């Protein structure tokens, strides 16, 4: 991602640049806000994503969402993915009522983003347990919590794409 790219319309934009993440976390903590963080690919936005992000928002006063960059999605999901660019996915996620801020990150997991933001809680979907969240040690070190939120993983972009491909 080009770090010089501007998103949205100035201060009104909820998609923030990565280099602004630490300052955002510091400002929110000074304001006494409980920061919740969630992350994902969000390649084809579906009801499972909306429910996950609503549940994550309920864990804090402010919800910051990390969207995986294009190369990370390709590495995680395989050839042909992502369908939408990281910028488009970030803008869609930012449009959701539950979401306060969105940041794109290029690493394979959210450890560096968590270290920069320093949230109170890191929210993962129900396809995880608190024991197998990759970033759980970082959250322990930061003094934060890990929460498993959202509805059962009955929805997936993979299934939606398979349905489209099969014509059903």
């Amino acid at each position: 991602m080009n770090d010089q790219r501007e998103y949205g319309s100035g201060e009104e934009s909820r998609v923030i640049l990565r280099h602004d993440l630490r300052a955002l976390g510091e400002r929110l903590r000074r304001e006494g806000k409980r920061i919740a963080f969630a992350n994902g690919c969000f390649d084809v936005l579906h009801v499972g994503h909306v429910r996950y992000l609503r549940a994550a928002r309920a864990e804090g006063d402010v919800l910051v969402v990390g969207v995986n960059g294009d190369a990370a999605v390709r590495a995680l999901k395989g050839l042909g993915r992502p369908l939408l660019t990281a910028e488009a996915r970030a803008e869609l996620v930012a449009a959701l009522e539950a979401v306060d801020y969105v940041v794109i990150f290029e690493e394979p997991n959210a450890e560096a983003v968590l270290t920069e933001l320093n949230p109170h809680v890191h929210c993962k979907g129900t396809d995880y347990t608190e024991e197998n969240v990759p970033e759980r040690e970082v959250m322990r070190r930061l003094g934060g919590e890990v929460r498993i939120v959202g509805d059962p993983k009955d929805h997936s972009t993979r299934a939606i794409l398979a349905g489209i491909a099969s014509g059903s």
Side-chain angles (χ1 to χ4, degrees), residues 114-166:
L114 290 167
T115 299
E116 292 166 22
L117 179 64
N118 192 16
H120 297 86
V121 61
H122 177 35
C123 302
K124 295 296 275 186
T126 57
D127 48 336
Y128 288 90
T129 67
E130 288 186 23
E131 292 74 38
N132 71 6
V133 170
E135 302 89 357
R136 71 187 177 286
E137 292 304 319
V138 168
M139 286 307 294
R140 279 191 195 128
R141 183 174 43 80
L142 293 171
E145 307 169 69
V146 171
R147 292 277 191 261
I148 305 303
V149 301
D151 64 350
K153 185 101 169 146
D154 296 335
H155 322 279
S156 75
T157 300
R158 192 176 318 265
I160 292 169
L161 294 175
I164 292 169
S166 71

Side-chain angles (χ1 to χ4, degrees), residues 99-118:
V99 177
D100 295 293
Y101 298 97
V102 177
V103 64
I104 298 169
F105 69 99
E106 301 296 339
E107 297 87 350
N109 65 46
E111 290 179 346
V113 173
L114 290 167
T115 299
E116 292 166 22
L117 179 64
N118 192 16

Side-chain angles (χ1 to χ4, degrees), residues 7 27-28 35 45 67-68 89 91 135 141 151-152 155:
Y7 296 103
R27 178 178 61 80
L28 293 171
I35 306 166
L45 203 57
V67 171
N68 292 90
R89 292 180 283 119
E91 189 172 339
E135 302 89 357
R141 183 174 43 80
D151 64 350
H155 322 279

